[in-house]
């Protein structure tokens, strides 16, 4: 077969390329894209389409805006059950920390997830993944962390990989064995970390089920010292690291994680300048999670001006989970990022594409529209890219192209 027959020409569209400096990205009006099955081959103004592509059949995108498929770089998509009863307790005045300290919170989802089979986890999580795709997401990071035994963490990570295969979506997995202290280790958190470091990490590394390792460093979770032990072992095993840090207090976890080369530090409401500087020096991405900020009714916003001042790349994610952010919608997170956190629409959009890809270590493959990048594209029925940050609660029509 003629090689050119495998090429597809998308034309009569506008592009938000996601290429450019920290504060903006290139926009190309009346553009054309040439792609093959996997990759973008050529991008530019329609009138500059090279001769060699001019006789191929063209797909008319009817003046829609094309963006890279969104990258949701922080989710806990796989879990069983829900936390609606706790939500009602919080509406009546209980705090997230109080519920966690009373044995609820993450641990109540651990109990439900341990009781579920891998196939039940897939069945319960699949609708969430399908919703995400309807909201324009094409790549998703999925954490374990509701199993907290080797077997149950493996079950979650297998379910995550299987879901990606079932839906044809790119999934990047993070082992979050150090998410919360399981009930059988109460009063022995160092012994739990010993188990994570000596048994869980090596076993899961050999199975190739984790693309990275995450830790929840917080006074209701694990200390700086414990977090460091998990990261040291991960680095030894060749696994990239990321952190849930400075969400409810400043534990200085982000500075340490950045100094150890973390791909990302996430949440960051309590991040200080030393932490921001360390992240800038290491190229660690700041992942902001406005859904958790909203749902926990937090009042302290992440230090966006400090992140800007030091040139830290900012990403935005759903944090999809049953306790602090039961949402699947990146468009809603875009609205919250600009309204609550003061990001510009361009910063927010870079945060769900280029910078989110970087947070997963995939910054050279996805999240931008340029030759050589994966042709994972979404055409949006909008008048300008900022419209994706403008409406909330509904989502403009979109189509994978
Ligand atoms: O990102 N911060 C810790 N982990 C999740 C919450 C998980 C849960 O409450 O189930 C988060 O907010
Ligand atoms: Fe999270």
């Amino acid at each position: 077969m003629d090689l050119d027959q495998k090429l597809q020409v998308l034309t009569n569209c506008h592009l938000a390329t996601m290429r450019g400096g920290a504060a903006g990205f290139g926009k190309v009006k009346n553009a054309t894209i040439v792609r093959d099955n996997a990759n973008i081959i050529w991008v530019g103004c329609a009138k500059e389409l090279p001769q060699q592509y001019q006789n191929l059949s063209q797909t008319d995108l009817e003046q829609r805006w094309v963006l890279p498929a969104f990258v949701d770089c922080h989710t806990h998509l796989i879990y069983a059950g829900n936390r609606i009863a706790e939500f009602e307790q919080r509406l009546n005045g209980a705090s997230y920390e109080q519920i966690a300290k009373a044995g609820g919170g993450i641990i109540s989802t651990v109990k439900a997830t341990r009781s579920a089979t891998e196939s039940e986890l897939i069945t319960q999580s699949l609708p969430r993944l399908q919703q995400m795709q309807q909201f324009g997401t094409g790549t998703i990071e999925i954490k374990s962390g509701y199993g907290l035994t080797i077997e149950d963490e493996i079950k979650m990570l297998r379910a995550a990989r299987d879901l990606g295969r079932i839906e044809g979506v790119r999934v990047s997995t993070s082992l979050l064995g150090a998410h919360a202290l399981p009930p059988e280790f109460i009063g022995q958190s160092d012994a739990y970390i010993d188990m994570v470091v000596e048994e869980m990490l090596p076993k899961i590394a050999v199975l190739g089920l984790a693309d990275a390792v995450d830790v929840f460093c917080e006074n209701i979770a694990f200390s700086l010292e414990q977090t460091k032990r998990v990261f040291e072992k991960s680095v030894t095993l060749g696994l990239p690291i990321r952190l849930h840090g400075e969400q409810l207090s400043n534990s200085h976890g982000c500075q340490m994680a950045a100094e150890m080369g973390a791909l990302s530090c996430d949440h960051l409401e309590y991040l200080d300048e030393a932490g921001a500087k360390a992240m800038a020096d290491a190229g660690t991405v700041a992942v902001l999670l406005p859904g958790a900020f909203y749902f926990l009714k937090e009042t302290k916003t992440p230090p966006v001006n400090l992140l800007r001042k030091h040139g830290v790349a900012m990403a935005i994610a759903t944090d999809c989970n049953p306790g602090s952010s039961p949402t699947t919608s990146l468009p809603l997170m875009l609205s919250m990022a600009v309204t609550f956190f003061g990001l510009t629409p361009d910063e927010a959009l870079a945060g769900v594409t280029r910078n989110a890809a970087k947070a997963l270590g995939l910054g050279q493959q996805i999240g931008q529209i340029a030759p050589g990048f994966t042709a994972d594209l979404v055409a949006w029925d909008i008048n300008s890219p900022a419209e994706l940050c403008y409406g909330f609660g509904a989502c403009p029509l979109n189509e994978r192209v």
Side-chain angles (χ1 to χ4, degrees):
M1 188 167 62
D2 180 353
L3 205 61
D4 281 356
Q5 284 179 4
K6 290 188 191 155
L7 298 180
Q8 188 190 8
V9 179
L10 306 172
T11 194
N12 192 23
C13 56
H14 309 306
L15 306 181
T17 64
M18 300 302 150
R19 294 172 75 73
F25 51 79
K27 300 177 181 83
V28 185
K29 300 291 287 283
N30 300 313
T32 293
I33 303 171
V34 182
R35 56 168 295 174
D36 65 17
N37 281 340
N39 294 313
I40 296 168
I41 309 288
W42 184 88
V43 175
C45 286
K47 54 181 186 311
E48 286 159 16
L49 182 67
Q51 177 76 36
Q52 72 210 87
Y53 304 127
Q54 284 181 6
N55 293 327
L56 299 172
S57 73
Q58 302 194 340
T59 303
D60 183 346
L61 294 182
E62 298 165 328
Q63 295 278 302
R64 285 178 288 172
W65 276 89
V66 176
L67 275 77
F70 292 158
V71 178
D72 196 344
C73 66
H74 180 139
T75 90
H76 307 250
L77 180 99
I78 306 266
Y79 59 83
N82 64 63
R83 304 242 288 279
I84 297 166
E86 280 180 13
F87 171 56
E88 292 191 280
Q89 285 174 23
R90 285 200 301 107
L91 292 175
N92 285 323
S95 75
Y96 186 70
E97 286 103 321
Q98 281 166 347
I99 292 171
K101 282 185 181 143
I106 293 170
I107 293 305
S108 63
T109 301
V110 169
K111 288 178 187 152
T113 302
R114 283 181 176 179
S115 307
T117 63
E118 187 188 326
S119 111
E120 286 165 347
L121 286 179
I122 290 173
T123 306
Q124 291 194 37
S125 305
L126 182 62
R128 294 191 276 271
L129 183 56
Q130 289 170 336
Q131 285 169 20
M132 285 180 171
Q133 292 176 84
Q134 285 162 15
F135 290 127
T137 299
T139 296
I140 171 178
E141 185 260 10
I142 303 179
K143 302 175 194 302
S144 63
Y146 293 125
L148 310 185
T149 65
I150 296 174
E151 264 175 32
D152 289 305
E153 291 290 296
I154 288 175
K155 178 176 73 180
M156 289 190 71
L157 292 167
R158 286 215 165 106
R161 292 254 199 255
D162 283 351
L163 266 183
R165 278 191 286 271
I166 291 165
E167 284 294 293
V169 169
R170 186 181 295 96
V171 165
S172 176
T173 55
S174 299
L175 170 62
L176 180 54
H179 190 196
L181 189 64
E184 62 276 15
F185 277 91
I186 282 181
Q188 309 169 66
S189 63
D190 282 332
Y192 180 68
I193 293 296
D194 289 345
M195 189 281 284
V196 169
V197 167
E198 287 158 24
E199 296 173 49
M200 186 184 283
L201 278 167
K203 177 107 196 237
I204 288 175
V206 166
L207 292 173
L209 285 170
D211 297 315
V213 173
D214 196 344
V215 175
F216 187 18
C217 180
E218 188 58 67
N219 48 36
I220 57 167
F222 296 99
S223 69
L224 195 63
E225 197 43 49
Q226 291 168 331
T227 303
K228 189 168 184 208
R229 289 187 56 211
V230 176
F231 283 167
E232 278 169 351
K233 185 68 179 192
S234 307
V235 171
T236 312
L237 292 167
L239 288 169
I241 55 174
R242 63 177 75 258
L243 184 75
H244 280 73
E246 336 301 18
Q247 179 186 12
L248 307 168
S249 62
N250 186 358
S251 310
H252 305 284
C254 296
Q255 183 174 348
M256 180 194 70
E259 285 166 2
M260 295 182 74
L263 282 175
S264 76
C265 293
D266 305 26
H267 285 289
L268 307 178
E269 278 79 352
Y270 288 81
L271 183 72
D272 61 16
E273 183 147 18
K277 174 136 192 354
M279 289 173 67
D281 290 346
T284 301
V285 176
V287 179
L288 308 182
L289 303 168
F293 171 87
Y294 159 79
F295 197 67
L296 298 183
K297 295 201 266 185
E298 298 292 341
T299 50
K300 190 166 165 50
T301 53
V304 166
N305 279 332
L306 269 185
L307 296 170
R308 285 186 183 125
K309 174 177 156 193
H310 290 285
V312 181
M314 292 183 278
I316 311 290
T318 60
D319 196 11
C320 172
N321 77 74
S324 71
S325 193
T327 183
T328 50
S329 171
L330 276 177
L332 180 59
M333 298 307 104
L334 290 172
S335 161
M336 290 181 173
V338 298
T339 300
F340 291 149
F341 294 172
L343 268 66
T344 66
D346 280 15
E347 284 174 330
L349 287 163
V352 294
T353 52
R354 177 181 78 206
N355 292 344
K358 185 174 180 209
L360 299 182
L362 298 172
Q364 296 310 310
Q365 295 164 52
I366 58 171
Q368 300 183 40
I369 300 180
F373 279 78
T374 303
D376 193 1
L377 303 168
V378 175
W380 293 89
D381 203 354
I382 51 177
N383 292 299
S384 71
E387 191 175 334
L388 288 167
C389 307
Y390 165 73
F392 60 94
C395 177
L397 288 175
N398 66 83
E399 182 192 8
R400 286 292 266 288
V401 290

